Amino acid sequence: MYQQFGISDKIINLSKEVEKEVEPVFEKIQKVCEYNSLKVLKAFQDNRISDMHFNQTTGYGYGDIGRDTCERVFADIFKAEDALVRGQFISGTHALTVALFAFLRPGDTMLSITGKPYDTLDEVIGITENPSSLKSFGINFEKIDLVNNDFDYEKIEERLKKGNIKLIEIQRSKGYSTRKSIKLVDLEKVIKFIRKYDKNVIIMIDNCYCEFVNEKEPLEVGADIIVGSLIKNLGGGIAPNGAYIAGKKNLVELAAERLTAPGEGKEVGPSLGITKSFLQGIFMAPSVVASSLKTAVFASRMLEKLGYEVEPKYDEERADIVQNINFNDETKLIKYCQGIQMGSPIDSDSIPEPWDMPGYTDKVIMAAGAFTQGSSIELSCDGPIRPPYTAFMQGGLTYEYGKIGVLKAIQNME
Ligand SMILES: *Cc1c(COP(=O)(O)O)cnc(C)c1O
């Protein structure tokens, strides 16, 4: 069958070799998947999920039992006091925006200790001017860069001693940078450190791409609030849009009052029939995340053997589902992304080209042959057209589909 996709014997043979090598890594991924699946099932059973929770409400959405119970399920899985899980959130960016506007007030300072946050937050924060930014409301932003892929403890201490920080944002996944993603042990360590100087500062985690990669989640190591997208890990490829915010009850309430209206909060918001997709999505998520991880591990070893720089290496501990490949060559990056598109179920005959995307300084190429627009829990690959010509690849609803995508991409570079 692989020959029918135009994959050469040379690449097929290499893939057989690689699959043997990565077996112990796959086993570890499977263990985490098993643990997280049990965690999800327990939350479903404890909340006695039944057919009636697939109900839908319209209009104001008062008394939506399905929506409210689905939020309980998410809260239980993430050891949160409460959760807000809504289709009224467009995606992760929107949920992060709502959270920041909900927690911060004029004169407050937000501090990022993982350097500049994700690109789509530039205009939200006001790093790029926008008349609706946090900055336009008089909210200050400061950042401390990572040093050698770790937190800059010295600078963090110095800044916290000066006081007056309302919120610390920690972005676990690397975004479009080439730093490493933040592991849970490192997160735990820095949160303990922060608490020595400030008991009250809100510790908010951008958890995009990291859910279910490990057995524990950030709230279990002391974070106050986590935010993530449902067209990534937790949607399991089934949720058609949406995002979540989970953590301390008072913070979730503030976020709800910002998303809807003060005085209405979580009580409103029609589910419009989306609850079943959210529940089915999170039910599938542990196994879909495992498939994405296996696809990333397979790609990492294949490309390393072909002589490319990869991050992480196949046997490194992972904090997210993203795989970086440095091609150090513009054409190779473009060919690889185009090959990923060719291996997709949707729009496999479209050829992505680099273009000037709003919000980015360099041209970007994006491959995504996905059922859900922009969904990056489905196999997808993108890269800014600048040295070292790095591809950021993530997703894979099943390992089998992920694997053929990677093989097709490698073949396309030949
Ligand atoms: C994807 C991503 C976001 C934004 O989420 P969307 O669902 O794409 O809006 C924010 N932060 C990080 C680290 C991400 O990877």
Side-chain angles (χ1 to χ4, degrees):
M1 280 303 291
Y2 283 116
Q3 281 161 353
Q4 289 188 26
F5 285 91
I7 313 291
S8 71
D9 285 343
K10 192 187 103 194
I11 292 173
I12 294 170
N13 289 335
L14 182 65
S15 79
K16 284 180 185 158
E17 221 175 278
V18 163
E19 277 187 322
K20 278 210 191 80
E21 274 180 271
V22 299
E23 221 166 82
V25 183
F26 278 20
E27 263 171 45
K28 277 191 206 153
I29 293 171
Q30 213 46 50
K31 282 265 178 290
V32 176
C33 173
E34 192 175 337
Y35 183 88
N36 284 323
S37 300
L38 296 182
K39 198 155 71 176
V40 169
L41 184 63
K42 186 80 170 58
F44 271 61
Q45 294 187 353
D46 287 350
N47 287 287
R48 305 176 64 195
I49 294 298
S50 87
D51 220 30
M52 76 173 185
H53 295 113
F54 305 153
N55 70 339
Q56 64 163 323
T57 54
T58 54
Y60 298 121
Y62 292 137
D64 191 323
I65 293 168
R67 178 196 68 206
D68 294 348
T69 315
C70 176
E71 290 181 333
R72 277 314 318 159
V73 168
F74 271 68
D76 288 356
I77 291 168
F78 291 97
K79 313 287 186 287
E81 291 173 9
D82 204 354
L84 188 62
V85 184
R86 301 291 169 107
Q88 277 85 16
F89 284 129
I90 309 304
S91 71
T93 301
H94 185 204
L96 287 160
T97 303
V98 166
L100 291 171
F101 274 93
F103 307 151
L104 296 163
R105 296 289 176 273
D108 283 348
T109 298
M110 157 191 183
L111 171 68
S112 163
I113 57 169
T114 40
K116 191 182 88 60
Y118 195 71
D119 297 67
T120 56
L121 296 181
D122 282 7
E123 289 184 50
V124 175
I125 294 169
I127 297 169
T128 303
E129 286 297 327
N130 184 298
S132 300
S133 68
L134 289 163
K135 191 177 162 199
S136 78
F137 284 88
I139 294 160
N140 309 306
F141 171 74
E142 292 177 29
K143 72 176 170 75
I144 295 174
D145 288 323
L146 296 170
V147 279
N148 299 323
N149 289 308
D150 199 2
F151 295 102
D152 191 337
Y153 283 93
E154 225 168 275
K155 284 217 177 106
I156 295 172
E157 178 179 2
E158 201 179 293
R159 184 59 192 86
L160 288 178
K161 277 184 173 161
K162 278 206 285 175
N164 255 331
I165 301 285
K166 177 70 172 293
L167 178 147
I168 292 183
E169 200 225 28
I170 303 174
Q171 180 187 311
R172 292 187 65 201
S173 189
K174 68 191 100 173
Y176 274 134
S177 79
T178 48
R179 67 156 164 104
K180 285 182 191 287
S181 296
I182 308 292
K183 298 197 172 71
L184 216 69
V185 282
D186 298 325
L187 188 65
E188 181 162 25
K189 191 173 149 207
V190 82
I191 291 175
K192 283 210 177 101
F193 186 80
I194 293 166
R195 287 294 178 226
K196 279 202 292 190
Y197 300 95
D198 194 332
K199 295 263 177 292
N200 301 317
V201 66
I202 299 166
I203 302 178
M204 173 173 139
I205 312 295
D206 177 346
N207 209 27
C208 281
Y209 283 140
C210 296
E211 301 94 347
F212 290 155
V213 171
N214 306 111
E215 292 183 355
K216 270 196 197 172
E217 299 290 339
L219 298 174
E220 296 170 72
V221 299
D224 294 312
I225 197 94
I226 52 175
V227 183
S229 176
L230 293 187
I231 55 173
K232 294 183 177 171
N233 300 22
L234 289 190
I238 290 172
N241 84 317
Y244 73 93
I245 297 176
K248 293 263 162 67
K249 195 170 181 58
N250 63 322
L251 295 176
V252 172
E253 190 52 38
L254 280 170
E257 302 235 315
R258 176 54 51 217
L259 173 66
T260 66
E264 298 192 349
K266 287 188 79 189
E267 304 297 315
V268 297
S271 56
L272 304 170
I274 209 173
T275 310
K276 187 179 174 192
S277 307
F278 284 177
L279 286 168
Q280 214 168 355
I282 196 151
F283 183 74
M284 296 303 294
S287 130
V288 171
V289 168
S291 298
S292 299
L293 287 169
K294 286 181 187 171
T295 303
V297 166
F298 174 74
S300 178
R301 188 56 177 157
M302 283 293 284
L303 287 146
E304 187 184 9
K305 289 199 128 185
L306 291 167
Y308 300 100
E309 257 171 69
V310 293
E311 203 288 312
K313 295 265 198 313
Y314 79 102
D315 54 356
E316 248 177 273
E317 195 190 319
R318 282 169 195 260
D320 64 14
I321 61 169
V322 183
Q323 180 64 47
N324 285 23
I325 308 145
N326 293 342
F327 288 105
N328 287 309
D329 181 307
E330 179 175 341
T331 312
K332 289 230 161 99
L333 168 62
I334 292 171
K335 286 274 179 195
Y336 188 86
C337 290
Q338 291 175 340
I340 290 288
Q341 186 77 35
M342 290 174 190
S344 303
I346 313 297
D347 295 327
S348 62
D349 57 348
S350 298
I351 299 170
E353 296 284 352
W355 62 298
D356 289 302
M357 275 182 59
Y360 294 90
T361 33
D362 303 282
K363 286 192 174 187
V364 181
I365 181 162
M366 291 200 161
F371 287 89
T372 295
Q373 190 190 110
S375 162
S376 46
I377 187 62
E378 301 182 51
L379 184 64
S380 49
C381 189
D382 35 67
I385 307 295
R386 62 167 181 247
Y389 300 102
T390 304
F392 297 79
M393 191 192 89
Q394 62 275 314
L397 293 181
T398 73
Y399 168 65
E400 292 73 18
Y401 293 131
K403 177 181 166 184
I404 176 67
V406 171
L407 294 180
K408 198 74 195 148
I410 291 172
Q411 182 70 56
N412 199 47
M413 288 194 300
E414 293 277 291

